[in-house]
């Protein structure tokens, strides 16, 4: 075949291939910490244009060290996102509505994740994002790793008596059913007393009733400063569990994770509540 014919054939094949090469996004911007965690787990590094504005801060992000390899948007607003000329933006249902509206108006493809309460919700998000990125096999591999860890933890906790716990914080809310805290309890050998009495979602802490809920352990996010802050709140200070020092503190990014990284919180809480199963 003449050289000119080969060149024309190559150009023709390249034209056919271009739509396939462009079929998956190559400049993805993540607008929240939770979507950062999913994107870092699934995407090729070359697909990531930027991560959330707090992605590099270990105070908020459990993947801050890995995120440091990539640019971060200046703020969470639409203008900061669009500066990176994304072909896909990842956001969450708790993203400010005006930001979502501006991104939609800009015509950029937008995926908004809206279910985070259970590990099954996270598996759904991993599969959705895997399809968007053309990384379905990687998504299934991450899910398989999660299932293996959760299965191993369940085997260790088999037959334990659930510990009666309550989520505590410096804000006057506790977590009942349909929350990530309930999911944490479901995997860590704990009974959420707020759910037991019928609280749903994040509800005001009924301080006058706490004494009759028979709370065995308080669970909070943060470090030792959190202990001092809780001690300043009368209804926690009066609880026998708090007086006895039965308070489990989990790192904030771990406890608040809305991705597969929350499994680390399952494991940490289970170790704290059932140390005899981890010797």
């Amino acid at each position: 075949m003449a050289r000119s014919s080969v060149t024309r054939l190559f150009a023709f094949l390249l034209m056919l291939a271009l739509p396939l090469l462009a079929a998956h996004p190559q400049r993805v911007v993540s607008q929240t910490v939770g979507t950062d965690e999913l994107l870092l787990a699934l995407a090729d590094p070359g697909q990531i244009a930027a991560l959330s504005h707090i992605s590099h801060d270990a105070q908020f992000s459990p993947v801050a060290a890995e995120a440091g390899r990539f640019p971060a948007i200046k703020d969470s607003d639409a203008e900061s996102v669009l500066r990176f000329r994304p072909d896909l933006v990842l956001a969450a249902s708790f993203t400010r509505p005006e930001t979502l509206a501006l991104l939609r108006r800009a015509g950029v493809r937008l995926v908004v994740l809206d279910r985070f309460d259970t590990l099954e919700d996270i598996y759904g998000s991993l599969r959705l994002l895997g399809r968007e990125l053309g990384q379905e096999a990687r998504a299934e591999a991450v899910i398989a790793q999660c299932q293996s860890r959760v299965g191993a933890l369940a085997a260790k906790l088999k037959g334990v008596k659930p510990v009666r716990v309550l989520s505590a914080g410096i804000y006057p809310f506790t977590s009942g059913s349909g929350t990530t805290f309930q999911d944490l309890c479901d995997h860590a050998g704990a009974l959420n007393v707020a759910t037991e009495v019928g609280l749903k979602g994040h509800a005001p802490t009924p301080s006058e009733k706490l004494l009759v809920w028979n709370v065995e352990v308080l669970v909070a996010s943060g470090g030792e400063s959190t202990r001092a802050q809780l001690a300043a709140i009368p209804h926690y200070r009066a609880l026998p569990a708090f007086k006895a020092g039965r308070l489990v503190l989990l790192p904030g990014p771990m406890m608040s994770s809305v991705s597969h990284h929350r499994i680390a919180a399952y494991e940490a809480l289970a170790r704290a509540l059932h140390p005899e199963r981890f010797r």
Side-chain angles (χ1 to χ4, degrees):
M1 185 180 293
R3 185 169 183 173
S4 59
S5 298
V6 171
T7 301
R8 284 196 296 274
L9 177 60
F10 177 77
F12 176 70
L13 292 175
L14 182 61
M15 288 179 64
L16 291 178
L18 280 175
L20 295 176
L21 291 173
H24 298 298
Q26 300 299 312
R27 294 192 56 78
V28 184
V29 173
S30 166
Q31 198 259 352
T32 73
V33 171
T35 50
D36 293 342
E37 296 165 28
L38 297 171
L39 183 61
L40 286 169
L42 299 183
D44 288 332
Q47 291 183 284
I48 301 174
L51 300 174
S52 74
H53 69 297
I54 54 176
S55 60
H56 296 181
D57 190 338
Q59 183 179 354
F60 302 102
S61 171
V63 292
E66 184 180 1
R69 299 164 49 205
F70 301 94
I73 57 178
K74 185 178 179 180
D75 203 337
S76 60
D77 57 76
E79 181 180 0
S80 298
V81 171
L82 294 173
R83 281 181 184 276
F84 285 88
R85 298 179 292 108
D87 53 6
L88 174 65
V89 175
L90 305 180
S93 53
F94 49 78
T95 297
R96 286 178 299 190
E98 59 270 28
T99 298
L100 295 178
L102 287 170
L103 290 172
R104 289 191 176 101
R105 193 178 303 169
V108 64
R109 178 158 177 71
L110 180 62
V111 171
V112 181
L113 301 181
D114 60 359
R115 296 183 65 86
F116 319 99
D117 293 340
T118 70
L119 200 51
E120 289 301 321
D121 293 336
I122 303 305
Y123 293 162
S125 296
L126 283 164
R127 289 190 170 109
L128 170 61
L129 189 52
R131 289 193 298 273
E132 290 285 340
L133 297 171
Q135 304 288 1
E136 293 94 333
R138 202 170 288 173
E140 292 303 325
V142 173
I143 291 169
Q145 292 167 6
C146 293
Q147 291 170 332
S148 176
R149 287 174 66 183
V150 170
L153 183 61
K156 278 187 176 293
L157 296 177
K158 186 176 181 180
V160 296
K161 179 183 177 184
V163 177
R164 299 174 61 81
V165 304
L166 177 78
S167 68
I170 59 175
Y171 300 105
F173 294 94
T174 192
S175 304
S177 60
T179 64
T180 55
F181 183 75
Q182 181 59 51
D183 180 62
L184 173 62
C185 293
D186 290 342
H187 289 88
L191 187 155
N192 182 3
V193 296
T195 293
E196 184 183 48
V197 299
L199 294 188
K200 298 179 180 178
H202 299 284
T205 305
S207 55
E208 72 283 2
K209 296 181 180 177
L210 288 186
L211 283 173
V212 299
W213 283 6
N214 189 24
V215 176
E216 296 178 303
V217 174
L218 293 167
V219 182
S221 66
E224 283 305 311
S225 62
T226 301
R227 187 186 301 274
Q229 290 173 311
L230 293 178
I233 301 174
H235 57 257
Y236 292 134
R237 193 169 61 233
L239 285 179
F242 190 81
K243 290 178 179 178
R246 295 196 294 272
L247 169 65
V248 176
L249 295 170
L250 298 177
M254 178 192 294
M255 188 163 173
S256 62
S257 174
V258 292
S259 81
H260 54 294
H261 287 281
R262 74 169 60 174
I263 293 176
Y266 300 167
E267 294 165 341
L269 182 59
R271 284 179 178 276
L273 298 180
H274 305 284
E276 73 283 356
R277 295 297 180 101
F278 295 88
R279 291 171 184 156

